């Protein structure tokens, strides 16, 4: 099982790779810390969510340059401290049209995280669009799907493909490659 620390570490590695290989896309892409996505954006107060959102999308000069946001979605409960969450999915938000952002939800366990993803998309002012991803065949690879799905989508964006064509029906996850990346 992957924790938020594993996801955040791989996002940091991907951000470094993206900065080296495609600085323009790196400047316009935000790989959001899972804790920020969950506690501040999805479950936080309106003020906390707004502050977190602004820190994510604005650069040092106050310019809104974030065209793409990748947010890990967790099913942890806001009200039940014993329900810490057992499933990850991915929400990609395309903000190139600032007035009409679109969120794509990738859930490797069918519709398990539909409610938290819809809640997060609403908080971000994004219209939620259905999308497809390969379904996991076990009860523990959801985090690997989030990370490999993020990498696949970032790669396609680097090739300038349109998000509407960014279904992940044929995603093949590689747990060993992830372990190797995280070991450094």
């Amino acid at each position: 099982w992957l924790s938020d620390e594993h996801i955040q570490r791989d996002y940091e590695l991907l951000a470094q790779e993206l900065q080296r290989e495609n600085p323009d896309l790196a400047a316009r892409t935000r790989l959001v810390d899972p804790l920020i996505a969950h506690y501040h954006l999805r479950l936080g107060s309106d003020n906390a969510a707004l502050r977190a959102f602004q820190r994510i999308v604005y650069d040092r000069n106050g310019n809104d340059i974030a065209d793409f946001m990748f947010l890990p979605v967790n099913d942890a409960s806001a009200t039940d401290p014993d329900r810490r969450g057992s499933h990850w999915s991915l929400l990609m938000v395309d903000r190139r049209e600032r007035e009409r952002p679109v969120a794509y939800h990738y859930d490797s366990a069918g519709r398990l995280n539909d409610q938290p993803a819809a809640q997060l998309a609403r908080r971000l002012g994004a219209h939620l669009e259905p999308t497809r991803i390969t379904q996991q065949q076990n009860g523990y690879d959801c985090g690997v799907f989030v990370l490999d799905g993020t990498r696949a989508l970032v790669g396609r964006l680097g090739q300038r493909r349109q998000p509407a064509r960014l279904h992940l029906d044929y995603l093949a996850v590689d747990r060993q490659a992830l372990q190797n990346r995280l070991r450094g």
Side-chain angles (χ1 to χ4, degrees), residues 82-93:
D82 293 328
R83 200 173 127 224
R84 296 177 176 249
S86 60
H87 180 60
W88 292 105
S89 60
L90 173 65
L91 192 71
M92 183 193 85
V93 181

Side-chain angles (χ1 to χ4, degrees), residues 1-8 10-11 34 71-74 86-90 106-109 112-113 133-134 136 138-151 171 173-175 178-179 181-182:
W1 291 49
L2 296 184
S3 69
D4 47 74
E5 291 93 358
H6 296 111
I7 292 173
Q8 180 57 23
D10 199 53
Y11 270 12
L71 304 108
V73 178
N74 189 275
S86 60
H87 180 60
W88 292 105
S89 60
L90 173 65
Y106 299 89
D107 193 335
S108 62
L112 192 62
N113 268 1
I133 187 170
T134 303
Q136 67 188 67
N138 57 42
Y140 51 82
D141 271 344
C142 55
V144 182
F145 275 85
V146 167
L147 295 173
D148 285 1
T150 299
R151 286 175 172 275
L171 180 68
V173 298
D174 188 343
R175 175 176 279 279
L178 172 61
Q179 289 173 338
R181 284 193 309 267
L182 294 178

Side-chain angles (χ1 to χ4, degrees), residues 17-106:
E17 292 168 25
L18 191 55
Q19 186 62 46
R20 280 191 311 271
E21 297 167 12
N22 191 337
D24 177 61
L25 182 59
R28 299 179 302 118
T29 301
R30 299 297 182 267
L31 303 166
V32 180
D33 182 317
L35 294 175
I36 301 295
H38 182 70
Y39 290 110
H40 295 277
L41 294 174
R42 184 167 83 91
L43 300 178
S45 68
D46 289 344
N47 285 339
L50 179 61
R51 284 191 310 274
F53 178 76
Q54 290 171 338
R55 282 191 305 270
I56 292 166
V57 301
Y58 290 105
D59 69 6
R60 292 182 184 107
N61 299 320
N63 300 308
D64 180 350
I65 61 167
D67 287 344
F68 305 104
M69 295 173 63
F70 291 85
L71 304 108
V73 178
N74 189 275
D75 63 347
S77 171
T79 56
D80 183 356
D82 293 328
R83 200 173 127 224
R84 296 177 176 249
S86 60
H87 180 60
W88 292 105
S89 60
L90 173 65
L91 192 71
M92 183 193 85
V93 181
D94 179 347
R95 300 182 65 246
R96 287 177 294 177
E97 291 185 42
R98 295 296 193 263
E99 300 303 315
R100 295 180 2 185
V102 179
Y104 300 91
H105 183 223
Y106 299 89

